[in-house]
Amino acid sequence: MAPGIGGEPESSDSLRTFGAVVQALREHHGLTREELGDLVGFSKHTIASIELGRRMPDPDFLEAAELALGNTGALKRAFKQLERQPGLAAWFRQWAALEQLAISLFNYECRMVPGLLQTEAYARQLFADGLPPLNDTQIEEQWLARAERQALLWERPNTAFSFIIEEHVFRRRTGGVDITREAIDHILEVGQLRNIELQIMPLVQQSHAGLRGPIALLETPKHKWFAYSEGQHGGHLTSDQKMISALQARYARIRSQALTIEGSVSLLERIRGEL
C-alpha cells in the first residue's frame, strides 16, 4: 500500500489535542490507563497511544470511552476536529486506524513490497518516484508515518499477518541491486516472526486468482471484517460482507496457488543470490 503518495501532509496537532482530552477525562475520573482499557475493551497500550496522539481512535473506542468518561459529548465533539497524521493520505486514514487494532491482517500485493514490509531505502525510492513530486519534508513525514505503522509487526505478536507478494516485485529491482538485496534480507528476517506468514506467487503461474489486483483484508477484535483497495488516485474502505466474502475466497485461492512458506524463502534466497 502506498499511503500519502501524492497526498498533502497535514498537522497532527488535533490528534494530540484529542488525546489530551481523553487523558484529562480519565484522570478526572481517577482511572489508570489499564482501568480505562478494561472499561472500553482496549489495551492500556492502545489507550497510551491515543492519549499521546500517535493513533487515530477507532469509532468503537469513541463510543465506549464517551460512556465510560461521563457521557458529556466532549470526546465526540473533539473527534470531529481530528485531522490525519502527517504522511498519511486522507483516504488511507481509516484503514491505518483499523490496522492498529486488527487481530488478523491479509495482504496480497502485485505492484510493490507491502508498506508494512518496506525498508527505509525502498520506501524512499517509492516516495521519490511519486508524481506530483514531493519535497524533502513530505518524504520525511511519509517515511516516519510508514515506520510507525511497521511497528505493528513487533508490537502485536498476537496479530496474525499473512503476506503474498508476486515474484516480479523483486525481479524488477526497484531502487537498484543494493536496495533490492536489502529489501529481500529484511523480508526474510521479518518472515521468521511466529505471527507472520510470507508467501511468493511465482512468475510462471498457469492459474492465478489474483489478476484483478491487490487485496487487503483485516479482522477487528470484535470479529468485524474490512477490506481496502487502492488505485492511482485514492483508496476505498468497505465493510460490505458480500464483497468481503468474495475477497476472502479469492485470497484463499491465491494462498493455495502461491509457493509454500519454505518454497517462498528458497525462491527469495535464490533471487538474492542472482543479484
Side-chain angles (χ1 to χ4, degrees):
M1 293 179 199
I5 290 181
E8 191 72 23
E10 298 178 25
S11 170
S12 62
D13 287 348
S14 59
L15 279 169
R16 289 191 290 269
T17 299
F18 179 87
V21 172
V22 173
Q23 182 174 353
L25 288 172
R26 174 180 62 77
E27 292 176 348
H28 176 74
H29 285 80
L31 298 171
T32 66
R33 286 172 174 168
E34 186 170 8
E35 289 169 339
L36 176 59
D38 290 340
L39 288 174
V40 300
F42 292 87
S43 73
K44 64 180 181 180
H45 304 293
T46 298
I47 302 299
S49 292
I50 291 173
E51 289 187 352
L52 295 171
R54 293 201 302 253
R55 294 188 179 183
M56 178 68 70
D58 182 89
D60 289 337
F61 169 84
L62 178 66
E63 292 294 332
E66 186 68 75
L67 291 173
L69 298 175
N71 205 23
T72 63
L75 289 182
K76 290 184 177 179
R77 288 194 294 273
F79 184 79
K80 292 179 181 179
Q81 305 304 315
L82 286 180
E83 296 176 347
R84 61 189 169 92
Q85 297 172 344
L88 293 185
W91 37 264
F92 188 77
R93 181 180 61 193
Q94 261 187 302
W95 178 262
L98 289 168
E99 275 186 337
Q100 304 287 342
L101 305 170
I103 61 172
S104 58
L105 192 150
F106 305 128
N107 187 201
Y108 161 67
E109 183 55 76
C110 56
R111 305 162 303 170
M112 65 191 79
V113 173
L116 289 174
L117 298 177
Q118 290 172 10
T119 62
E120 180 174 355
Y122 187 95
R124 287 182 181 276
Q125 180 67 47
L126 297 181
F127 298 147
D129 289 341
L131 293 171
L134 302 177
N135 61 40
D136 290 345
T137 299
Q138 290 171 321
I139 289 176
E140 187 66 24
E141 287 177 336
Q142 293 203 11
W143 163 246
L144 290 175
R146 186 156 301 180
E148 184 173 348
R149 282 182 57 224
Q150 292 179 353
L152 290 173
L153 300 177
W154 289 271
E155 291 179 352
R156 299 188 63 83
N158 298 120
T159 296
F161 295 90
S162 170
F163 297 97
I164 305 173
I165 311 172
E166 290 285 340
E167 177 184 347
H168 68 76
V169 167
F170 304 98
R171 296 288 187 187
R172 185 180 294 122
R173 302 184 182 184
T174 297
V177 169
D178 290 340
I179 288 178
T180 302
R181 281 200 194 102
E182 182 187 34
I184 293 175
D185 287 342
H186 176 67
I187 287 172
L188 289 171
E189 179 182 359
V190 171
Q192 295 178 23
L193 296 174
R194 286 193 302 273
N195 60 325
I196 294 178
E197 289 187 355
L198 174 68
Q199 292 177 262
I200 303 298
M201 178 66 80
L203 192 60
V204 178
Q205 183 67 32
Q206 185 174 354
S207 178
H208 194 331
L211 296 181
R212 294 187 182 183
I215 295 175
L217 295 160
L218 66 74
E219 180 185 12
T220 71
K222 294 188 176 181
H223 306 294
K224 295 180 181 178
W225 283 88
F226 292 86
Y228 179 80
S229 60
E230 189 174 290
Q232 289 283 341
H233 299 290
H236 175 68
L237 177 72
T238 182
S239 59
D240 180 84
Q241 292 306 301
K242 184 177 181 180
M243 181 181 298
I244 288 173
S245 178
L247 290 173
Q248 287 173 325
R250 203 171 297 165
Y251 191 89
R253 179 66 60 84
I254 296 171
R255 212 172 188 174
S256 70
Q257 294 170 336
L259 297 175
T260 65
I261 294 174
E262 294 78 9
S264 297
V265 169
S266 178
L267 176 59
L268 284 176
E269 291 174 341
R270 187 162 69 249
I271 292 174
R272 191 197 186 289
E274 294 171 358
L275 293 174

